[in-house]
Amino acid sequence: MTPGPARSARARRKALAAMEAETGLVHRKWWIPYLFLAPGLLMVALFSLWPFVNTVVLSLTDAQILRGGTFVGFDNYTRAFADPDFWTAAGNSVLYLVVVVPCLVLLPLALAVLVRAKVPGIGFFRSAFYTPVIASAVVVGLIWQWVLRSDGLVNTVFLRLSIVSEPIPFLTDSAMLLVSAMIVTVWKGLGYYMVFYLAALGNVSPSLHEAAALDGAGPVRRFFSITVPQVKPMMLLVGTLSAISALRVFTEIYILGGESGGPGGGARTLPFLIRQVGLGFSGETGYASALSILLFLLTLVFSLLGRRLSKGDER
Amino acid sequence: MRAAPRARLGLAARYASLVLMLVVMLGPIAWQFLTSIRGRTENVYDGVLPERPTLDNYVLVAESFPLLQYVGNTLIVAVLAVTSNMLFAAMGGYALSRAGWKGRTSVFTVLVATLMFPFESVMISMFLTVREMGLVDTLIGVWLPGAVSVLNIMVMRSAFLAVPREVEESAVLDGAGEWTRFTRLFLPAAKGALAVVCITSFIGAWDDFLWPLLVLTDSDHYTLQLGLKTLAGATTTNDQRIIAAGAMAALLPMMLLFFALQRFFFKGVGEGAVKI
């Protein structure tokens, strides 16, 4: 990181001199960079910083969608902690994360190792594995709905082969629906994180592998003792990113399980609950804002955890 | 010599795994596609391959359902998003990549910090802001919050960082002003990154679901993804062939675009990801 604001006059002069040395012949008025940044900064202020501040403020009021609110302190938060719907949704979101993150850290790495070799046709395989990434979450949901429905591919095959006597309720049982959505998330994420690992694997020197192979280490051994340690920073990044996106899951469940989020809303995640509570004619923006802040804090915990782990790794 | 058969065995194992993964990754998509071209008189479950393949389902979905209107709405949002992202992200990234102005570090830090707010945790407030601006149920309201993403600014910044100072200085000596240097020198040097911003913002606008779901109420304004949702709601049709045709109509243009531009794509996704 670059140092913060200079603390003394001497340090400031030094910083100015450094700035001069950095720019050389290029001189510009101080406001020109801001002119270039104006559209970006305006958007960030309007649609990122302000909504965040507004969410914090609203979370302390009893505002509703059609009327402003009055200050109620932390009532919305105490209400959330007493709300079984909140615990179901928060539990689902965390469970989602716990299951999906290890899959998305390890499987794409294996996939990247598989498609890294320069063998004929590998470009086709790479692109094919990436296809689910460019498909929209809605299309992916529709595709898997047709695989997992009670009259879908899997159940039809299972019934015809008499593996099951009645259809497996992949989409009609809350727990099964959550598992189905997890499968879809992992399936869609494999290609995405594969590309991250391909970039990281590019830095692993082949001579190490050759040396280890000469010493008699097999491919599995080489994978765990050479490849894994070298891509560890990338694994932490992928872990953090996939954890954050696991907490954001909405569309998979909405398409697979419908607007209610599974029977009795049992498969709702936090974003799902936030939308349900906050919008519509009786939308409780105040309470939804408190839920939003709780979601933000949950996300923050996992991104700080990721940063902490990678810092510890550097030492 | 002894290693040769082992190497061949390794290659065979690699291809076997590749093909297995191919079935896992493309199988569900293929099943949807095969359903979408199945003849109208066929039973959808009879055999893997349709006996009388047809494009009738695509015609039917376009006729019974305002698919083309949804595509049109989506294209309006997508074209706006691509234009604004390419222009504004390039401008912002350019300023952040150039040294020698006060506040560069602070602006950079603030921008990166906003990446920490997950969209879902500010979406209610974003909706209220957009409502305040009178943009609820408009395509402008769908586009505006994503008009320039911080991630794209960062992608452009890393591309511009690679332009050496000497080149910039010689342009200054030639009397080129700031805007001229930006358009004539820096933009052409970052074509790859611009392509990445173009593709990702197009796909982002085409694929987005949750934000349009919040903003749009009138089905005349629906984007393609929202339209597909109503198609899947089974209130319109129970015919899986037609649903499949709708899903494929949304996916195939993206696949074509992706296969045509995959060279830029893989490079960009890897680079952009690592440098932030």
Side-chain angles (χ1 to χ4, degrees):
Chain A
M1 283 311 282
T2 35
R7 269 168 212 89
S8 69
R10 225 181 83 199
R12 204 174 303 137
R13 266 202 306 280
K14 226 168 132 187
L16 273 176
M19 206 177 248
E20 187 85 19
E22 252 187 315
T23 51
L25 286 171
V26 186
H27 295 285
R28 47 173 68 91
K29 298 246 162 47
W30 68 268
W31 44 268
I32 285 188
Y34 288 96
L35 217 56
F36 274 82
L37 273 161
L41 289 177
L42 184 69
M43 285 300 142
V44 164
L46 262 179
F47 295 110
S48 203
L49 294 175
W50 163 245
F52 183 72
V53 173
N54 197 26
T55 306
V56 174
V57 173
L58 283 173
S59 78
L60 304 172
T61 70
D62 60 356
Q64 294 196 358
I65 195 94
L66 295 175
R67 63 164 178 81
T70 50
F71 182 79
V72 294
F74 287 94
D75 281 7
N76 286 320
Y77 293 92
T78 42
R79 178 178 159 194
F81 293 133
D83 182 354
D85 281 351
F86 166 72
W87 288 112
T88 310
N92 284 344
S93 284
V94 171
L95 183 68
Y96 214 97
L97 182 152
V98 169
V99 175
V100 160
V101 170
C103 296
L104 283 179
V105 168
L106 295 175
L107 297 178
L109 177 57
L111 206 58
V113 170
L114 199 60
V115 299
R116 190 166 64 117
K118 291 194 173 65
V119 294
I122 204 69
F124 165 74
F125 285 103
R126 278 188 195 184
S127 303
F129 296 164
Y130 200 78
T131 310
V133 182
I134 53 163
S136 74
V138 175
V139 168
V140 166
L142 290 175
I143 286 172
W144 278 89
Q145 203 177 36
W146 186 222
V147 171
L148 297 174
R149 252 162 50 171
S150 57
D151 58 349
L153 179 66
V154 172
N155 274 319
T156 308
V157 170
F158 278 16
L159 285 171
R160 288 201 179 170
L161 297 177
S162 304
I163 295 173
V164 292
S165 56
E166 51 189 88
I168 305 168
F170 288 115
L171 307 179
T172 44
D173 173 84
S174 284
M176 291 294 281
L177 174 59
L178 212 55
V179 173
S180 303
M182 288 167 182
I183 292 172
V184 173
T185 301
V186 171
W187 180 78
K188 192 168 164 30
L190 281 176
Y192 184 66
Y193 296 114
M194 172 190 85
V195 177
F196 284 56
Y197 283 125
L198 275 175
L201 285 173
N203 304 328
V204 178
S205 111
S207 58
L208 268 175
H209 274 272
E210 283 157 20
L214 281 179
D215 285 345
V220 176
R221 176 86 192 278
R222 290 204 302 272
F223 176 77
F224 281 106
S225 51
I226 299 176
T227 310
V228 168
Q230 297 229 22
V231 298
K232 213 173 149 199
M234 189 53 93
M235 291 173 85
L236 285 166
L237 177 68
V238 169
T240 312
L241 292 178
S242 58
I244 293 171
S245 57
L247 293 173
R248 300 179 52 187
V249 162
F250 170 85
T251 311
E252 284 95 329
I253 291 174
Y254 188 91
I255 298 294
L256 288 177
E259 201 148 348
S260 59
R268 279 179 294 187
T269 55
L270 270 179
F272 211 105
L273 187 65
I274 291 170
R275 174 182 168 272
Q276 261 181 2
V277 169
L279 297 176
F281 290 115
S282 58
E284 298 179 87
T285 31
Y287 185 43
S289 296
L291 295 176
S292 302
I293 294 299
L294 292 172
L295 171 65
F296 169 71
L297 291 177
L298 204 56
T299 317
L300 194 65
V301 166
F302 284 99
S303 28
L304 290 180
L305 197 71
R307 184 169 299 183
R308 188 75 181 267
L309 284 173
S310 51
K311 280 245 174 74
D313 207 49
E314 275 163 26
R315 245 179 269 127
Chain B
M1 273 288 110
R2 231 180 49 210
R6 242 181 96 173
R8 211 173 300 150
L9 196 70
L11 195 64
R14 187 180 289 272
Y15 273 110
S17 327
L18 283 170
V19 170
L20 178 74
M21 282 313 291
L22 195 67
V23 172
V24 172
M25 300 307 276
L26 289 190
I29 302 175
W31 173 236
Q32 186 87 332
F33 175 71
L34 291 172
T35 306
S36 79
I37 58 165
R38 214 173 264 274
R40 301 294 307 157
T41 51
E42 273 183 76
N43 182 333
V44 273
Y45 301 111
D46 275 352
V48 174
L49 293 174
E51 273 170 33
R52 289 177 292 279
T54 171
L55 291 177
D56 285 358
N57 301 313
Y58 288 84
V59 178
L60 272 171
V61 77
E63 274 174 0
S64 62
F65 192 74
L67 194 72
L68 291 177
Q69 191 189 345
Y70 297 156
V71 171
N73 290 339
T74 310
L75 282 178
I76 292 173
V77 176
V79 167
L80 284 173
V82 167
T83 315
S84 61
N85 268 289
M86 283 174 77
L87 179 63
F88 297 149
M91 285 167 59
Y94 169 75
L96 283 179
S97 76
R98 299 295 99 195
W101 52 282
K102 266 193 183 161
R104 185 164 86 128
T105 322
S106 330
V107 170
F108 180 75
T109 313
V110 168
L111 289 181
V112 171
T114 62
L115 289 172
M116 302 238 298
F117 307 142
F119 162 74
E120 287 74 7
S121 74
V122 289
M123 64 183 178
I124 299 288
S125 282
M126 267 168 74
F127 172 80
L128 296 176
T129 307
V130 167
R131 190 177 69 171
E132 209 66 10
M133 299 169 114
L135 294 175
V136 165
D137 205 21
T138 64
L139 293 175
I140 299 290
V142 175
W143 157 73
L144 195 60
V148 51
S149 87
V150 173
L151 220 50
N152 285 335
I153 294 180
M154 296 305 157
V155 168
M156 292 313 298
R157 174 184 165 269
S158 359
F160 289 138
L161 279 176
V163 178
R165 201 179 76 195
E166 290 72 23
V167 180
E168 195 187 8
E169 285 183 344
S170 70
V172 172
L173 288 177
D174 288 345
E178 187 96 50
W179 185 257
T180 315
R181 296 202 299 271
F182 170 63
T183 53
R184 297 279 165 80
L185 176 66
F186 281 87
L187 282 185
K191 272 188 202 141
L194 276 172
V196 170
V197 170
C198 174
I199 303 167
T200 48
S201 42
F202 185 82
I203 293 183
W206 184 274
D207 286 354
D208 195 14
F209 179 68
L210 181 50
W211 179 244
L213 179 71
L214 301 187
V215 175
L216 298 177
T217 46
D218 184 349
S219 65
D220 278 352
H221 299 149
Y222 274 10
T223 57
L224 183 58
Q225 306 301 328
L226 284 189
L228 286 177
K229 175 209 75 171
T230 54
L231 190 61
T235 44
T236 349
T237 175
N238 274 319
D239 191 339
Q240 184 59 37
R241 280 170 288 221
I242 292 183
I243 298 175
M248 281 296 125
L251 174 59
L252 290 175
M254 287 300 102
M255 284 178 70
L256 286 179
L257 184 76
F258 168 65
F259 276 91
L261 300 172
Q262 51 152 320
R263 211 157 32 93
F264 294 115
F265 211 84
F266 280 127
K267 221 176 133 221
V269 175
E271 279 176 3
V274 180
K275 282 194 181 136
I276 285 164

